[in-house]
């Protein structure tokens, strides 16, 4: 019998932290077993700025997910974002001693490891090395070089770089929360896995993930990641603008944005007014919805224009690089009224809202299908691909229940106690063999962070 592959994703965002436990069902769809979320304290624009508060928020989300699912979380795949993330394009090659020998995984690994030795700015580290097209002995545009022959293997790479200290702080928070780090993924790549189809990636598409603290961009063309960027503005900046413009507190500003906010001012009439309760017995404050929309519109236009600058920097105007599938919006900010129309107006590109429900099982909770959870769903999918056994059932609870119900009949409860322990040992043994199946360059990077954390102690 095949072992149950339980995967866990942890989305550490600026406004919320989400822990999601899932597995693939018999139809290949993602079945969500449990979800936990907490208010994100200690994270600003995708970067940890208060270790203690972040640990508490992670523990709260993890505990809620465990209670909802009945599984104990052991390790997680975590999303990395933040204004410190940047990407570069790089080409490299290796010369093979025997041109008649078939190209294999070891040749690709050798090429990727060579890119990892690139000189970075002080304090920066390479997070992802993503191969694009390969070239063998001058023959270009090869997508799959394994199995071919040649002396010179060349490739262009999309290299994602981030601040080492920021990445290690995330690792430290997870370790201090009592769980292990099994993988790191750039958040826009996780969101892309959850909401984009393979056809869109082939045709050319720009994914815009509007979060609380940052707006993430991932561009795909011919099925390959071509460009990534993190813009240090998100939904929280819109809330701050409403707070300042309407002279109200942050909680009221967030509620106004969610319930009545629109990115298109023309939709509201001049006489549409909402009343906000005054503080400590003061008079209620009346706010015009048209003015509210104008405040939101100004900031959203700024965010979208910055994203569009990145799309143009990729070379969208070149006919060969044209993004035929247009733009897909996801993240909490994608739920803002009329944002789709505004993006189409600014960019002139077809736009749709991205929901992660395509990969979810039919009986999934409607809330999980929201763009808000796109990154978390993508991280769980990434964990499943890595064949991780990230959670185990609460076996320890069984022995406690058995004596309570069976005490009048059964004198010796040794048998019910032994079965869970054996099952747990079996799972541990199976996990140790399964972890040997897949070992990518990215796993080595995670190991490097773990070594750093161990040495720091």
């Amino acid at each position: 019998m095949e072992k149950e592959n339980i995967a866990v994703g942890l989305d550490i965002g600026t406004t919320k932290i989400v822990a999601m436990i899932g597995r693939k069902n018999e139809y290949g769809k993602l079945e969500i077993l449990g979800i936990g979320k907490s208010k994100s304290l200690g994270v600003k624009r995708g970067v940890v700025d208060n270790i203690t508060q972040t640990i508490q928020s992670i523990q709260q989300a993890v505990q809620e997910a465990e209670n909802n699912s009945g599984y104990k979380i052991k390790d997680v795949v975590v999303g990395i974002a933040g204004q410190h993330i940047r990407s570069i394009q790089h080409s490299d090659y290796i010369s093979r001693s025997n041109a008649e020998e078939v190209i294999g995984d070891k040749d690709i690994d050798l090429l990727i490891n060579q890119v990892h030795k690139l000189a970075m700015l002080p304090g920066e580290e390479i997070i992802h090395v993503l191969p694009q097209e390969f070239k063998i002995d001058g023959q270009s545009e090869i997508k799959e070089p394994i199995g071919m022959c040649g002396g010179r293997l060349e490739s262009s790479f999309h290299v994602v770089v981030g601040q080492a200290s920021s990445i290690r702080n995330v690792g430290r928070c997870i370790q201090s929360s009592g769980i292990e780090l099994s993988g790191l993924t750039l958040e826009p790549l996780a969101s892309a896995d959850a909401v984009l189809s393979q056809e869109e990636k082939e045709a050319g598409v720009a994914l815009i993930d509007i979060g609380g603290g940052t707006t993430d961009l991932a561009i795909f063309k011919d099925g390959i990641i071509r460009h990534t960027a993190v813009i240090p503005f998100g939904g929280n900046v819109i809330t701050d603008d409403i707070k300042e413009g309407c002279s109200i507190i942050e909680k009221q500003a967030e509620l106004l944005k969610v319930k009545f906010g629109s990115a298109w001012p023309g939709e509201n009439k001049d006489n549409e007014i909402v009343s906000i309760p005054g503080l400590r017995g003061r008079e209620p404050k009346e706010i015009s919805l048209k003015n509210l929309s104008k405040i939101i519109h100004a900031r959203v236009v700024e965010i979208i224009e910055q994203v569009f600058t990145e799309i143009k920097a990729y070379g969208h105007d070149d006919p060969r690089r044209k993004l035929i599938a247009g733009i897909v919006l996801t993240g909490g900010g994608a739920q803002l009224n009329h944002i789709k129309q505004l993006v189409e107006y600014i960019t002139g590109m077809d736009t749709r809202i991205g929901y992660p429900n395509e990969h979810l099982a039919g009986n999934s909770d409607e809330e999980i299908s929201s763009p808000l959870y796109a990154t978390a769903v993508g991280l769980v999918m990434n964990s499943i691909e890595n064949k991780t056994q990230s959670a185990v059932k609460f076996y320890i609870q069984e022995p406690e229940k058995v004596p309570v119900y069976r005490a009048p009949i059964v004198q010796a409860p040794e048998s019910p106690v032994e079965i869970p322990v054996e099952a747990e040992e079996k799972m541990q043994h199976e996990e140790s063999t399964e972890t040997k199946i897949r070992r990518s360059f990215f796993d080595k990077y995670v190991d490097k962070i773990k070594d750093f954390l161990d040495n720091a102690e």
Side-chain angles (χ1 to χ4, degrees):
M1 184 179 166
E2 195 180 336
K3 179 163 69 83
E4 193 177 34
N5 180 206
I6 306 296
V8 183
L10 185 69
D11 175 15
I12 302 176
T14 305
T15 50
K16 68 181 188 325
I17 290 177
V18 178
M20 192 177 276
I21 304 173
R23 67 180 169 204
K24 265 195 177 174
N25 65 13
E26 63 268 34
Y27 306 109
K29 295 289 185 181
L30 187 62
E31 184 185 341
I32 304 301
L33 301 170
I35 184 169
K37 63 176 187 240
S38 63
K39 189 170 171 57
S40 184
L41 303 170
V43 182
K44 188 176 280 186
R45 290 186 175 171
V47 178
V48 174
D49 68 351
N50 187 316
I51 294 274
T52 309
Q53 287 184 327
T54 306
I55 291 167
Q56 288 170 352
S57 297
I58 290 171
Q59 286 173 333
Q60 192 181 331
V62 164
Q63 193 172 358
E64 191 183 321
E66 288 178 341
N67 293 342
N68 288 343
S69 66
Y71 282 81
K72 174 74 178 166
I73 293 174
K74 298 193 300 176
D75 56 67
V76 292
V77 169
V78 180
I80 289 286
Q83 56 196 30
H84 61 97
I85 301 289
R86 68 185 182 95
S87 61
I88 53 174
Q89 298 291 51
H90 176 73
S91 292
D92 218 323
Y93 73 94
I94 55 166
S95 296
R96 303 175 70 241
S97 53
N98 185 0
E100 299 301 316
E101 193 181 327
V102 168
I103 294 168
D105 285 326
K106 67 177 191 299
D107 297 301
I108 308 295
D109 287 341
L110 190 65
L111 189 52
I112 287 169
N113 288 333
Q114 198 162 290
V115 178
H116 271 279
K117 293 171 187 170
L118 272 175
M120 291 290 116
L121 294 172
E124 281 191 334
E125 273 189 16
I126 292 172
I127 301 171
H128 280 288
V129 174
L130 304 165
Q132 298 188 320
E133 288 104 345
F134 290 88
K135 193 185 279 188
I136 300 172
D137 292 346
Q139 183 187 344
S140 59
E141 295 185 11
I142 295 168
K143 287 187 180 178
E144 185 51 82
I146 292 173
M148 299 179 77
C149 298
R152 179 184 165 111
L153 176 63
E154 196 175 341
S155 178
S156 53
F157 292 94
H158 183 75
V159 184
V160 180
V161 181
Q163 284 290 338
S165 58
S166 298
I167 299 159
R168 284 168 183 161
N169 282 337
V170 170
R172 194 181 295 279
C173 288
I174 288 157
Q175 197 178 55
S176 302
S177 302
I179 46 182
E180 289 294 316
L181 179 67
S182 67
L184 284 163
T185 300
L186 189 64
E187 288 197 355
L189 297 181
S191 303
D193 286 342
V195 303
L196 297 181
S197 67
Q198 190 57 38
E199 288 84 359
E200 284 176 317
K201 290 180 181 179
E202 287 287 344
V205 66
L207 177 85
I208 303 174
D209 186 344
I210 307 170
T214 60
T215 298
D216 306 332
L217 171 71
I219 296 176
F220 293 84
K221 179 73 176 174
D222 299 326
I224 299 165
I225 181 80
R226 300 294 182 180
H227 187 73
T228 51
V230 178
I231 287 109
F233 297 110
N236 287 2
V237 189
I238 300 168
T239 305
D240 287 343
D241 286 354
I242 297 168
K243 184 179 79 171
E244 298 297 328
C246 300
S247 301
I248 54 177
I249 62 171
E250 190 172 337
K251 192 176 179 182
Q252 292 172 333
E254 182 66 26
L255 275 170
L256 263 182
K257 181 183 77 175
V258 172
K259 285 197 167 185
F260 303 103
S262 169
W264 202 269
E267 289 295 313
N268 298 111
K269 297 184 177 72
D270 292 326
N271 61 351
E272 284 184 303
I273 287 169
V274 66
S275 184
I276 300 286
L279 297 175
R280 301 283 289 183
R282 293 177 178 86
E283 289 292 311
K285 192 182 284 285
E286 291 189 339
I287 291 162
S288 160
L289 290 187
K290 196 169 190 77
N291 288 341
L292 175 69
S293 293
K294 282 179 180 175
I295 292 168
I296 293 170
H297 174 82
R299 182 60 80 175
V300 174
V301 166
E302 186 186 349
I303 292 169
I304 298 306
E305 281 180 345
Q306 284 206 38
V307 174
F308 195 40
T309 302
E310 289 286 344
I311 292 172
K312 286 190 279 194
Y314 149 75
H316 166 62
D317 296 332
D318 184 341
R320 289 173 301 172
R321 295 186 165 200
K322 193 169 179 63
L323 304 178
I324 297 164
I327 289 171
V328 176
L329 294 171
T330 193
Q335 297 178 114
L336 189 64
N337 286 335
H338 305 110
I339 192 164
K340 171 185 174 293
Q341 289 86 336
L342 181 62
V343 171
E344 285 182 334
Y345 177 75
I346 292 170
T347 63
M349 297 165 72
D350 288 339
T351 305
R352 73 170 178 90
I353 307 296
Y355 299 92
N357 51 5
E358 184 187 328
H359 301 283
L360 295 173
N363 59 351
S364 296
D365 191 337
E366 196 176 321
E367 186 192 12
I368 299 165
S369 302
S370 161
L372 207 64
Y373 296 108
T375 303
V377 169
L379 291 170
V380 174
M381 289 169 64
N382 188 279
S383 183
I384 286 172
E385 277 177 33
N386 291 344
K387 292 185 164 40
T388 50
Q389 177 64 30
S390 298
V392 292
K393 278 196 171 177
F394 283 116
Y395 284 95
I396 303 302
Q397 291 177 359
E398 293 300 321
E400 293 172 7
K401 288 179 184 175
V402 171
V404 173
Y405 295 111
R406 299 191 184 269
I409 305 164
V410 182
Q411 297 300 317
E414 287 84 0
S415 177
V417 177
E418 284 170 14
I419 293 167
V421 174
E422 285 172 9
E424 197 169 357
E425 282 175 2
K426 187 184 175 192
M427 267 197 293
Q428 286 171 354
H429 173 71
E430 284 179 353
E431 185 200 2
S432 65
T433 54
E434 195 163 55
T435 48
K436 295 172 187 172
I437 295 171
R438 181 168 174 166
R439 184 152 183 86
S440 69
F441 62 92
F442 200 48
D443 295 328
K444 294 172 194 169
Y445 182 73
V446 172
D447 290 342
K448 197 161 71 169
I449 292 175
K450 286 179 185 171
D451 291 341
F452 169 81
L453 293 171
D454 292 341
N455 294 333
E457 289 174 0

